[in-house]
Amino acid sequence: MSTASRRVNSTLPGDPPGGRRAMAVWGIGVSVYFVAVIFRTSLGVAGLDAADRFQVNASALSTFSILQLLVYAGMQIPVGLLVDRLGTKKVLTIGVVLFTAGQLDFAFSPSYGTALASRALLGCGDAMTFISVLRLGTRWFPARRGPMVAQLAGLAGMAGNLVSTLVLARLLHGVGWTAAFAGSALAGVVVLVLLLLFLKDHPEGHEPEPFPHRGAAYVRRQIAASWREPGTRLGLWVHFTTQFPAMVFLLLWGLPFLVEAQGLSRATAGELLTLVVLSNMVVGLVYGQVVARHHAARLPLALATVGATALMWAATLLYPGDRAPMWLLVALCAVLGACGPASMLGFDFARPANPPERQGTASGITNMGGFVASMTTLFAIGVLLDATGDDYTIAFSCVFVLQALGVSQILRLRRRAARRERERLVASRVETVHVPA
């Protein structure tokens, strides 16, 4: 093998070295995201309690999560720009302060209005975590580790969801609403201290090129350049189509569906929600390994996940009789666990389509997809439940509409994105060949 070929196939020039220090620093960032997900999904195990506490119906209950996701989705591009401009540490610090304040305020909220405001504040802080962690990974690890690093970050998020499902649910029914939510807010204080003491944006010798403030024109160029890349748009639609079925199920409507429509006890419903999280963690490791070894597997994995999810929802909702059997509910929850890892594949389309100085912006655009879909579905289910007298079959049928929209866009963009990615790969190899030995 020639010297040029060895350069192309190993770590690219300028790639960060990775190693134990990278894992330690990146682990601090991941711990912030872990806590953010605990706070984000805490309402999923408290939905019925929140309805009783604030005396609200299904539409009003869904507004909690809709507002939280609306803020989250609306913040993605601004956060991406902030990460590119300010760096990871500053943005994560702001995020921790906001989502911890939101969780603490939610614990003491005396009314529906103040509780809504606290979820919005939490969503704003939460919005600053995942893109920052992705950016931290690109700064500390070689590019070839990108798919696995993204999946591991998603895995940490699902671990946070698991804590919310298992630990916070027990605290809620053991010590009560205020003590459970206020006590969980202490985790935000812990990760804030770790972040301030130990996190660094990048390893020594890999500082990004400094650039002066360029104002609104720079912001417009960053967004426009990222959006022009077919890979960014494809990443957005992959994220849109794959993430929302599990997000909606875990964030709010899974527990009511299993308890009220399927007649399960809260304990059994909680076990099925836990199964979704455990399945996500296992599938995430598998998808990360597969994509790291076979880059072309990204789109088949994403589409297969969408197809399997649609099939299981159809089988569950159309099952003859009043309730689906337990084996079918178990299968549904196991398949929903693949949605999170499949959504991470969206970043594997956006990442190679954009240079390092646009990674935060491109990730922000991609990350909007699933949360816009989740927000839309949360709202639609709440409205349909109120309109149909709690007919979950009709309400959950809106899942298929959004899946059809997303798949149509994925199929429309896939060839352009693949062609553009090949062109960028060829160009990078030409540059590498001309790097002096």
Side-chain angles (χ1 to χ4, degrees), residues 358-381:
R358 287 207 310 263
Q359 288 295 318
T361 306
S363 295
I365 292 172
T366 299
N367 208 29
M368 283 181 62
F371 289 93
V372 168
S374 298
M375 179 178 59
T376 303
T377 309
L378 283 166
F379 176 74
I381 290 174

Side-chain angles (χ1 to χ4, degrees), residues 39 100 103-108 168 176-187:
F39 293 178
T100 302
Q103 185 78 343
L104 188 61
D105 187 56
F106 193 60
F108 295 98
L168 190 59
W177 178 283
T178 300
F181 281 99
S184 66
L186 292 175

Side-chain angles (χ1 to χ4, degrees), residues 116-196:
L116 275 179
S118 68
R119 296 309 285 186
L121 186 63
L122 192 156
C124 186
D126 183 18
M128 298 183 177
T129 58
F130 188 66
I131 293 174
S132 298
V133 171
L134 287 180
R135 175 60 176 266
L136 196 65
T138 62
R139 289 296 186 190
W140 281 89
F141 294 96
R144 68 180 185 276
R145 302 291 186 193
M148 180 54 71
V149 168
Q151 289 291 350
L152 288 175
L155 186 67
M158 291 314 295
N161 203 324
L162 188 63
V163 169
S164 179
T165 303
L166 295 177
V167 179
L168 190 59
R170 292 184 180 180
L171 282 175
L172 187 65
H173 299 114
V175 300
W177 178 283
T178 300
F181 281 99
S184 66
L186 292 175
V189 177
V190 173
V191 294
L192 177 61
V193 172
L194 291 174
L195 167 65
L196 292 174

Side-chain angles (χ1 to χ4, degrees), residues 392-408:
Y392 280 88
T393 299
I394 295 176
F396 272 91
S397 295
C398 64
V399 168
F400 305 117
V401 178
L402 271 74
Q403 285 183 320
L405 171 63
V407 168
S408 68

Side-chain angles (χ1 to χ4, degrees), residues 69 236 238-244 247 343 366-375:
L69 293 185
L236 179 146
V238 167
H239 200 269
F240 176 101
T241 314
T242 54
Q243 187 202 48
F244 79 93
M247 176 69 73
S343 71
T366 299
N367 208 29
M368 283 181 62
F371 289 93
V372 168
S374 298
M375 179 178 59

